[in-house]
Amino acid sequence: MKRPAPIPDLSAPSRRKRALSEEERALWESVAKQVKPLRKRPAAAKAHAAASDPASHHAAAKPIPVKAVAPVKSVTPPRPQMPPLAPIGRRERAKLSRGRQDIDARLDLHGMTQIRAHRVLFAFLQRAHHDGLTFVLVITGKGKVGGLDAERGVLRRQVPEWLGLPEFRSLVVGFEEAHIGHGGEGALYVRVRRAR
């Protein structure tokens, strides 16, 4: 019966060592000079380390200076500024309230949660912008003022704030409270920005 061949021990150090080139030696010396020990060693240990250090035998080689590299700053391009919201002109508002100017589309947000209303309003204004509509009516509802139902007017307060956000300003030129015939305090005339 044959014995299996012994498995070589790969963890043992190689007996044959390659000599360092002049460039490698110079690089090692420049790096070794910059290293600081973590703890102080006794004088005997220092002397032993200096005697066994291959870099100390080649003091004639000049160290290669290491250049410090400045950190690269990432520059983000500035976002294009959207123009501020503009009020709807007095003439246009009068035409809308008297029915002489068409309201191109209507959106009723009654009974929706804030999250759903935000999503629906944004999608509605995107479509209006894409379709080239000029004026739309957004109905928020008046909500109750005071008392236990004070929180019911949330959309009435939130929608004007949303329309001022950058993502909405790319779709909206301006807005104003609607005429009483179109819902008064519970609705807004919104002028849609033209698609370019």
Side-chain angles (χ1 to χ4, degrees):
M1 193 167 163
K2 283 188 178 180
R3 288 186 178 175
I7 299 171
D9 185 7
L10 300 176
S11 65
S14 171
R15 292 181 186 166
R16 191 172 171 203
K17 291 186 178 180
R18 179 178 72 83
L20 295 176
S21 69
E22 286 300 316
E23 289 178 6
E24 291 171 327
R25 199 170 285 125
L27 179 62
W28 170 252
E29 287 177 7
S30 69
V31 170
K33 286 181 182 178
Q34 296 173 8
V35 175
K36 293 180 183 175
L38 294 175
R39 293 186 213 136
K40 292 185 177 181
R41 290 193 274 171
K46 284 183 184 177
H48 176 69
S52 63
D53 184 9
S56 65
H57 298 298
H58 303 285
K62 292 183 180 178
I64 299 171
V66 179
K67 293 182 181 178
V69 180
V72 178
K73 293 180 182 177
S74 62
V75 179
T76 53
R79 285 176 138 184
Q81 291 291 326
M82 293 305 301
L85 292 171
I88 295 172
R90 202 181 330 166
R91 280 187 190 164
E92 289 167 324
R93 192 177 187 294
K95 285 180 183 178
L96 285 165
S97 62
R98 293 180 186 142
R100 293 183 190 156
Q101 172 75 47
D102 288 336
I103 294 173
D104 300 317
R106 297 169 194 263
L107 174 66
D108 191 346
L109 299 173
H110 271 106
M112 292 187 192
T113 63
Q114 288 185 60
I115 294 169
R116 182 159 185 253
H118 184 276
R119 191 172 52 241
V120 169
L121 177 63
F122 187 67
F124 171 75
L125 291 172
Q126 279 183 315
R127 274 193 315 276
H129 174 71
H130 180 266
D131 294 345
L133 305 184
T134 306
F135 287 103
V136 295
L137 183 69
V138 177
I139 302 163
T140 61
K142 293 179 184 177
K144 304 282 184 191
V145 180
L148 296 173
D149 295 324
E151 279 301 306
R152 286 201 171 175
V154 173
L155 292 181
R156 181 178 162 203
R157 288 190 314 270
Q158 287 297 120
V159 170
E161 288 182 26
W162 294 341
L163 293 174
L165 296 174
E167 65 264 25
F168 282 95
R169 292 221 327 257
S170 64
L171 305 170
V172 173
V173 174
F175 64 92
E176 280 193 22
E177 187 178 292
H179 183 266
I180 191 73
H182 288 127
E185 311 176 330
L188 297 168
Y189 295 130
V190 179
R191 184 178 198 147
V192 181
R193 193 174 297 282
R194 290 186 181 183
R196 292 181 182 177

